[in-house]
Amino acid sequence: MKKLEALSLVSRRAYAGLTKGERRSVKRGASIEFADYREYSSGDDLRYVDWKAYGRLDKLFLKLFIEEEDLNLHLLIDTSKSMSFGSPLTKADYARRTAAALGYIALCEYDRVSVAPFSAGLREPMSPLRGKPGIVPFFRFLETKMPSEGETRFGDALTQYAARTTTGGIAVVISDFFDDTYQRGLKALMARNLQIVLLHVLDEDEIKPPLTGDLRLVDSETGEQGEVSISAHLLGRYEERLQKFYAELKSVSSRYGMDYVRTSTAVPFEDVILQFLRRGGLLR
């Protein structure tokens, strides 16, 4: 974990945090970095009066300083049944490990971390944690409170989360995005002034299916079944649909100013953290 501890999250915006931390805030307070002046008003703290300016201008001005506050990291993790697919590592396992790494980085920097699992709706979220004392309960939540079950109703779940969150910050959505309503959910998050990162996780067998012959396929979430004859032509059509799926997600993220990272469970999650997200500017 030492490599991760040396990293920190990077926000493209300044947010008003909840407590003092490591981030530049939009508020004005008392820190070491000067920001601006304003005229003195009755009741202002006389410690921040610029007496040199008073001597020159015979008028009281108050020094304003940039206040450093914590950043909020919202980890929104798809826990629907489709995320249980994969071997030896499921997409759900991969999502938890990646979320654990990002949360660990944030907590080491005294940022504030929230976790919200979702499937057909928003599941019981983890109360926000801050600082290194929160690392153990954060890991415990990821390990014990996130079973993969139920259908995905992306739009409903993320709209519910947006309605209850009152803090800005960075929202990392980790999912296979197997639901047509995802855009509605993402727009709801955008309305809460969140910087959004989409982490798209697929299993290698979903990317290049090792299938042949006549098969009965079963939808893991709905139980619907369909009989298909796997052929080179059918696999080619599947590849075309998959590329269209990628392109749509990338287009949506670009249109709305979101970051999009696609990975597979075959890629070591450390590479996603140390290379892809770092290169994309989320980490430094």
Side-chain angles (χ1 to χ4, degrees):
M1 287 286 190
K2 288 298 182 183
K3 286 185 179 179
L4 298 180
E5 199 167 335
L7 296 173
S8 62
L9 294 170
V10 178
S11 172
R12 291 194 295 267
R13 312 172 192 172
Y15 293 101
L18 298 177
T19 58
K20 290 187 178 294
E22 305 295 326
R23 308 289 168 179
R24 176 171 294 190
S25 170
V26 293
K27 295 179 181 178
R28 293 291 182 265
S31 74
I32 60 172
E33 189 172 351
F34 172 75
D36 203 352
Y37 289 102
R38 70 167 170 80
E39 289 190 26
Y40 175 82
S41 298
S42 178
D44 284 338
D45 194 329
L46 291 174
R47 291 177 299 172
Y48 303 118
V49 169
D50 189 328
W51 295 108
K52 290 183 179 179
Y54 175 73
R56 294 194 305 271
L57 304 173
D58 198 27
K59 195 170 185 178
L60 292 175
F61 289 93
L62 207 68
K63 293 179 181 179
L64 301 178
F65 298 87
I66 290 174
E67 190 168 323
E68 301 296 320
E69 298 193 351
D70 58 342
L71 178 71
N72 294 284
L73 173 64
H74 305 258
L75 295 169
L76 307 173
I77 306 172
D78 185 350
T79 57
S80 61
K81 185 64 176 176
S82 68
M83 292 293 286
S84 67
F85 183 79
S87 178
L89 191 69
T90 68
K91 291 182 287 184
D93 293 332
Y94 196 90
R96 281 192 293 266
R97 292 184 185 188
T98 307
L102 289 172
Y104 178 82
I105 292 168
L107 291 170
C108 285
E109 287 289 303
Y110 287 88
D111 292 325
R112 195 172 298 270
V113 175
S114 303
V115 181
F118 67 90
S119 53
L122 188 66
R123 294 184 171 180
E124 180 186 354
M126 182 190 79
S127 299
L129 298 171
R130 183 174 184 268
K132 291 184 178 181
I135 291 173
V136 171
F138 167 61
F139 286 169
R140 187 178 298 120
F141 183 91
L142 293 178
E143 183 179 2
T144 62
K145 301 291 186 180
M146 296 180 51
S148 298
E149 55 190 19
E151 298 181 45
T152 313
R153 295 197 187 108
F154 209 106
D156 292 345
L158 267 62
T159 298
Q160 290 172 23
Y161 186 80
R164 64 187 296 167
T165 187
T166 58
T167 57
I170 298 174
V172 180
V173 183
I174 309 176
S175 175
D176 54 19
F177 291 90
F178 288 164
D179 182 68
D180 292 338
T181 68
Y182 72 85
Q183 289 196 48
R184 179 161 61 88
L186 295 177
K187 287 178 181 177
L189 294 180
M190 288 177 56
R192 306 303 291 181
N193 195 33
L194 290 162
Q195 177 183 326
I196 301 171
V197 180
L198 309 182
L199 183 55
H200 189 192
V201 180
L202 294 178
D203 184 76
E204 276 298 301
D205 285 354
E206 294 171 326
I207 298 171
K208 294 193 178 297
L211 303 176
T212 57
D214 298 329
L215 300 171
R216 178 182 289 116
L217 301 182
V218 181
D219 187 307
S220 63
E221 294 187 5
T222 66
E224 293 183 22
Q225 300 183 20
E227 294 186 356
V228 296
S229 295
I230 304 298
S231 64
H233 174 69
L234 187 62
L235 290 174
R237 287 179 57 195
Y238 177 86
E239 174 66 19
E240 289 176 6
R241 291 286 298 273
L242 187 62
Q243 293 302 322
K244 186 178 179 181
F245 180 39
Y246 293 157
E248 179 189 78
L249 273 164
K250 192 169 183 179
S251 174
V252 167
S253 61
S254 177
R255 187 185 320 144
Y256 297 115
M258 305 173 189
D259 295 300
Y260 172 62
V261 176
R262 187 176 77 243
T263 187
S264 98
T265 53
V267 176
F269 80 95
E270 295 94 338
D271 289 353
V272 174
I273 299 299
L274 297 173
Q275 295 180 32
F276 299 156
L277 294 178
R278 202 174 194 178
R279 189 167 61 221
L282 178 64
L283 299 169
R284 68 181 173 202

